[in-house]
Amino acid sequence: MGIKWRNWALPMAALALLGAGCVSTPGAPAEPTGAPSTSVARVCAKPATGPAKAPAGAVTVDPAVVGDLTAKTKSSPPNTTFWLRPGKHRLAPDRYSQVIPKKGNRYLGAPGAVFDGRKTNQYAFGGSARNVTIRYLTVQRFVAPPDEGVVNHDSADGWVIEHATIQYNSGAGLMAGARQQVRASCLRGNGQYGMNAYKGTGPIRDLVVEGNEIVGNNTDDWERRRKGCGCTGGIKFWAVNGADIRGNWVHDNRGTGLWADTNNNDFRIEDNLLEANDGAALIYETSYNAVIRKNTIRRNNWVEGRRYADRGDSFPFATIYLSESGGEPRVRARTDKIEIYRNVLENNWSGITLWENSDRFCNSPANTSSGNCTLLVKNTDRCAKPAIATAPLYADCRWKTKRVDIHDNRFVLDKSVVECTVKCDRMAVLANYGTYPDWSPYKGERVAEAITRKQHNRWHDNVYLGPWKFVAHDPSRVLDFGQWQGTPYQQDTGSTLDPRAGG
């Protein structure tokens, strides 16, 4: 898994499988760089407080007794409510000590209740029990290994995490299961992800992430440790079928803000404020069917975009990046396309890039989501020579960036704010020249021609302020607005451009 975001090659060039390094300066800030202008809440600075007294029938947990929460959870029946008194609650010093909830358990923190792993325990809450609720509790300083999580470690279904603060942990603050709801919580300063929405036993369905602040994650800078791993983000989504991501403030993360990677489907990403993330605000990779609307997206990708530009990389690494992702009517969802509309993108490093890696498809060594195939092919072994060269496998064995509708957005760029002169001003639809492997039926320019002209990818009725440029087919074709609107590309019908605007 993980993106290889460019891998473009000129004809006859050698294949270079380069990783999307997410590089930042040490000590990424875990605090806001500015108050949001939208209605998202500053839940990290002003967390909601829990009940000051134990609710009727609740089991009281004493912070003075080491392991009290574990012991009382074990001795109580399912559907028990636990009230954690003010103070630091601790587990036994064994690194594998954790709380294993029973079905329907509810954990409520009093004002000042903190569940502290003391940089000793790996996990806070694990096990397979369904419908567990955690509210008003701070969970901090646990040391989960990479790709593992502290809360809901085993990706159980139906959990509700609400008004919680999950901070300063290694690995992921949260994992996710089906029907999980994460609301009004602070996911701050975790070593890898704020949340890793991954379930090893199958897809996650019906995930809700609403009204949270997701800030300063990937403090351990995993993309530098594992170059090209694609293993970081404010939130990473893997094979999630049905997700509502709304009203969140996603900011100041090292790397990408929100990253959907590999066979995700049916996302609604709306009314979020995505700002000041080192990399892209949003990556939607090898996935399907999404609505991205009414988001405010500003000052993203300054660190990563500048780094690649400074080293001479001409790839249009953008703030919204769709990689081998598109609308697919055969995959059931609330929409049959990817629609990006009514967003405001202001002073980011470049805008929207639609990309396909011609060499990435089922069974190709260039498929970084190794072992995975598209949702249209159940038997991956069918994607092989000679069958892959004929219908329907020729179309169905590769993820496609198609049926993307980008309209009624406002794109603002003031280069004096971004402090750039070149390569920060791109809107793009392109692919590489196919070269690899030797049995690939996608060699040459056929994928670049398809994504640019034949797959119903369309910009229209947008407003551009600033000196925007446009890239079509491959990185070498940099166009002005008139060329972008003209034959053969015919993009941005009904759109306007004011190149003199300063933002």
PDB file of all heavy atoms in Angstrom, residues 34 78 129 134 142 158 205 207 223 248 310 418 421 475-476 492:
ATOM      1  N   GLY A  34      -3.496  29.333  13.528  1.00  0.00           N
ATOM      2  CA  GLY A  34      -4.443  30.421  13.375  1.00  0.00           C
ATOM      3  C   GLY A  34      -5.840  29.913  13.576  1.00  0.00           C
ATOM      4  O   GLY A  34      -6.131  28.762  13.309  1.00  0.00           O
ATOM      5  N   PRO A  78     -21.175  -7.131  30.655  1.00  0.00           N
ATOM      6  CA  PRO A  78     -21.317  -6.239  29.499  1.00  0.00           C
ATOM      7  C   PRO A  78     -22.300  -5.118  29.787  1.00  0.00           C
ATOM      8  O   PRO A  78     -23.100  -5.183  30.718  1.00  0.00           O
ATOM      9  CB  PRO A  78     -21.840  -7.176  28.401  1.00  0.00           C
ATOM     10  CG  PRO A  78     -21.423  -8.547  28.833  1.00  0.00           C
ATOM     11  CD  PRO A  78     -21.454  -8.533  30.331  1.00  0.00           C
ATOM     12  N   ALA A 129     -14.885  -6.583  21.332  1.00  0.00           N
ATOM     13  CA  ALA A 129     -16.237  -6.242  21.785  1.00  0.00           C
ATOM     14  C   ALA A 129     -16.824  -5.119  20.941  1.00  0.00           C
ATOM     15  O   ALA A 129     -16.146  -4.132  20.628  1.00  0.00           O
ATOM     16  CB  ALA A 129     -16.210  -5.844  23.250  1.00  0.00           C
ATOM     17  N   ILE A 134     -16.459   5.647  24.381  1.00  0.00           N
ATOM     18  CA  ILE A 134     -15.454   6.356  25.178  1.00  0.00           C
ATOM     19  C   ILE A 134     -15.738   7.841  25.037  1.00  0.00           C
ATOM     20  O   ILE A 134     -15.712   8.376  23.919  1.00  0.00           O
ATOM     21  CB  ILE A 134     -14.028   6.029  24.708  1.00  0.00           C
ATOM     22  CG1 ILE A 134     -13.750   4.533  24.869  1.00  0.00           C
ATOM     23  CG2 ILE A 134     -12.996   6.855  25.480  1.00  0.00           C
ATOM     24  CD1 ILE A 134     -12.468   4.079  24.207  1.00  0.00           C
ATOM     25  N   PHE A 142       0.839   6.401  25.162  1.00  0.00           N
ATOM     26  CA  PHE A 142       0.986   4.980  24.892  1.00  0.00           C
ATOM     27  C   PHE A 142       1.946   4.806  23.721  1.00  0.00           C
ATOM     28  O   PHE A 142       2.155   5.727  22.925  1.00  0.00           O
ATOM     29  CB  PHE A 142      -0.376   4.351  24.582  1.00  0.00           C
ATOM     30  CG  PHE A 142      -1.255   4.191  25.802  1.00  0.00           C
ATOM     31  CD1 PHE A 142      -1.988   5.268  26.284  1.00  0.00           C
ATOM     32  CD2 PHE A 142      -1.337   2.980  26.471  1.00  0.00           C
ATOM     33  CE1 PHE A 142      -2.789   5.144  27.400  1.00  0.00           C
ATOM     34  CE2 PHE A 142      -2.135   2.837  27.589  1.00  0.00           C
ATOM     35  CZ  PHE A 142      -2.861   3.913  28.076  1.00  0.00           C
ATOM     36  N   GLY A 158     -18.569  -0.687  15.697  1.00  0.00           N
ATOM     37  CA  GLY A 158     -19.610   0.037  16.414  1.00  0.00           C
ATOM     38  C   GLY A 158     -19.142   0.924  17.547  1.00  0.00           C
ATOM     39  O   GLY A 158     -19.967   1.364  18.349  1.00  0.00           O
ATOM     40  N   ARG A 205     -17.124  -0.401   7.034  1.00  0.00           N
ATOM     41  CA  ARG A 205     -18.324   0.203   6.456  1.00  0.00           C
ATOM     42  C   ARG A 205     -18.859   1.296   7.373  1.00  0.00           C
ATOM     43  O   ARG A 205     -18.795   1.185   8.588  1.00  0.00           O
ATOM     44  CB  ARG A 205     -19.404  -0.857   6.229  1.00  0.00           C
ATOM     45  CG  ARG A 205     -19.012  -1.925   5.222  1.00  0.00           C
ATOM     46  CD  ARG A 205     -20.128  -2.935   4.991  1.00  0.00           C
ATOM     47  NE  ARG A 205     -19.701  -3.965   4.048  1.00  0.00           N
ATOM     48  CZ  ARG A 205     -19.817  -3.866   2.725  1.00  0.00           C
ATOM     49  NH1 ARG A 205     -20.354  -2.756   2.202  1.00  0.00           N
ATOM     50  NH2 ARG A 205     -19.398  -4.822   1.924  1.00  0.00           N
ATOM     51  N   LEU A 207     -18.343   4.663   8.238  1.00  0.00           N
ATOM     52  CA  LEU A 207     -17.500   5.378   9.189  1.00  0.00           C
ATOM     53  C   LEU A 207     -17.911   6.845   9.225  1.00  0.00           C
ATOM     54  O   LEU A 207     -18.129   7.463   8.175  1.00  0.00           O
ATOM     55  CB  LEU A 207     -16.037   5.246   8.765  1.00  0.00           C
ATOM     56  CG  LEU A 207     -14.985   5.973   9.589  1.00  0.00           C
ATOM     57  CD1 LEU A 207     -14.911   5.414  11.003  1.00  0.00           C
ATOM     58  CD2 LEU A 207     -13.617   5.850   8.906  1.00  0.00           C
ATOM     59  N   GLU A 223       7.631   8.824   7.073  1.00  0.00           N
ATOM     60  CA  GLU A 223       8.009   8.812   5.662  1.00  0.00           C
ATOM     61  C   GLU A 223       9.515   8.992   5.476  1.00  0.00           C
ATOM     62  O   GLU A 223      10.076   8.534   4.481  1.00  0.00           O
ATOM     63  CB  GLU A 223       7.259   9.913   4.903  1.00  0.00           C
ATOM     64  CG  GLU A 223       5.758   9.746   4.893  1.00  0.00           C
ATOM     65  CD  GLU A 223       5.259   8.628   3.991  1.00  0.00           C
ATOM     66  OE1 GLU A 223       6.059   8.061   3.228  1.00  0.00           O
ATOM     67  OE2 GLU A 223       4.061   8.318   4.056  1.00  0.00           O
ATOM     68  N   ASN A 248     -14.536  18.857  10.216  1.00  0.00           N
ATOM     69  CA  ASN A 248     -13.289  18.679  10.956  1.00  0.00           C
ATOM     70  C   ASN A 248     -12.303  19.803  10.642  1.00  0.00           C
ATOM     71  O   ASN A 248     -12.342  20.406   9.568  1.00  0.00           O
ATOM     72  CB  ASN A 248     -12.651  17.336  10.583  1.00  0.00           C
ATOM     73  CG  ASN A 248     -13.575  16.171  10.841  1.00  0.00           C
ATOM     74  OD1 ASN A 248     -13.778  15.763  11.977  1.00  0.00           O
ATOM     75  ND2 ASN A 248     -14.161  15.628   9.778  1.00  0.00           N
ATOM     76  N   ASP A 310      12.271  22.414  -5.517  1.00  0.00           N
ATOM     77  CA  ASP A 310      13.658  22.849  -5.346  1.00  0.00           C
ATOM     78  C   ASP A 310      14.653  21.837  -5.898  1.00  0.00           C
ATOM     79  O   ASP A 310      15.765  22.197  -6.282  1.00  0.00           O
ATOM     80  CB  ASP A 310      13.950  23.110  -3.866  1.00  0.00           C
ATOM     81  CG  ASP A 310      13.320  24.394  -3.352  1.00  0.00           C
ATOM     82  OD1 ASP A 310      12.831  25.188  -4.184  1.00  0.00           O
ATOM     83  OD2 ASP A 310      13.298  24.590  -2.120  1.00  0.00           O
ATOM     84  N   VAL A 418       2.652  32.497  -0.760  1.00  0.00           N
ATOM     85  CA  VAL A 418       3.239  31.157  -0.765  1.00  0.00           C
ATOM     86  C   VAL A 418       4.763  31.229  -0.817  1.00  0.00           C
ATOM     87  O   VAL A 418       5.445  30.274  -0.451  1.00  0.00           O
ATOM     88  CB  VAL A 418       2.687  30.361  -1.961  1.00  0.00           C
ATOM     89  CG1 VAL A 418       3.218  28.932  -1.979  1.00  0.00           C
ATOM     90  CG2 VAL A 418       1.155  30.337  -1.922  1.00  0.00           C
ATOM     91  N   THR A 421       8.022  31.092  -6.913  1.00  0.00           N
ATOM     92  CA  THR A 421       8.072  31.725  -8.225  1.00  0.00           C
ATOM     93  C   THR A 421       7.572  30.781  -9.312  1.00  0.00           C
ATOM     94  O   THR A 421       6.941  31.215 -10.270  1.00  0.00           O
ATOM     95  CB  THR A 421       9.500  32.179  -8.556  1.00  0.00           C
ATOM     96  OG1 THR A 421      10.396  31.060  -8.444  1.00  0.00           O
ATOM     97  CG2 THR A 421       9.955  33.269  -7.594  1.00  0.00           C
ATOM     98  N   PRO A 475       3.870  15.878 -17.907  1.00  0.00           N
ATOM     99  CA  PRO A 475       4.395  17.072 -17.226  1.00  0.00           C
ATOM    100  C   PRO A 475       4.992  18.115 -18.149  1.00  0.00           C
ATOM    101  O   PRO A 475       5.127  19.278 -17.756  1.00  0.00           O
ATOM    102  CB  PRO A 475       5.462  16.493 -16.284  1.00  0.00           C
ATOM    103  CG  PRO A 475       5.047  15.079 -16.048  1.00  0.00           C
ATOM    104  CD  PRO A 475       4.454  14.624 -17.343  1.00  0.00           C
ATOM    105  N   SER A 476       5.342  17.747 -19.367  1.00  0.00           N
ATOM    106  CA  SER A 476       5.987  18.715 -20.257  1.00  0.00           C
ATOM    107  C   SER A 476       4.993  19.671 -20.911  1.00  0.00           C
ATOM    108  O   SER A 476       5.404  20.700 -21.444  1.00  0.00           O
ATOM    109  CB  SER A 476       6.767  17.968 -21.347  1.00  0.00           C
ATOM    110  OG  SER A 476       5.882  17.312 -22.245  1.00  0.00           O
ATOM    111  N   ASP A 492     -12.563  23.698 -18.529  1.00  0.00           N
ATOM    112  CA  ASP A 492     -12.982  24.923 -17.831  1.00  0.00           C
ATOM    113  C   ASP A 492     -13.920  25.801 -18.654  1.00  0.00           C
ATOM    114  O   ASP A 492     -13.850  27.042 -18.620  1.00  0.00           O
ATOM    115  CB  ASP A 492     -11.766  25.717 -17.332  1.00  0.00           C
ATOM    116  CG  ASP A 492     -11.443  25.384 -15.880  1.00  0.00           C
ATOM    117  OD1 ASP A 492     -12.389  25.315 -15.067  1.00  0.00           O
ATOM    118  OD2 ASP A 492     -10.271  25.166 -15.557  1.00  0.00           O
TER     119      ASP A 492
END
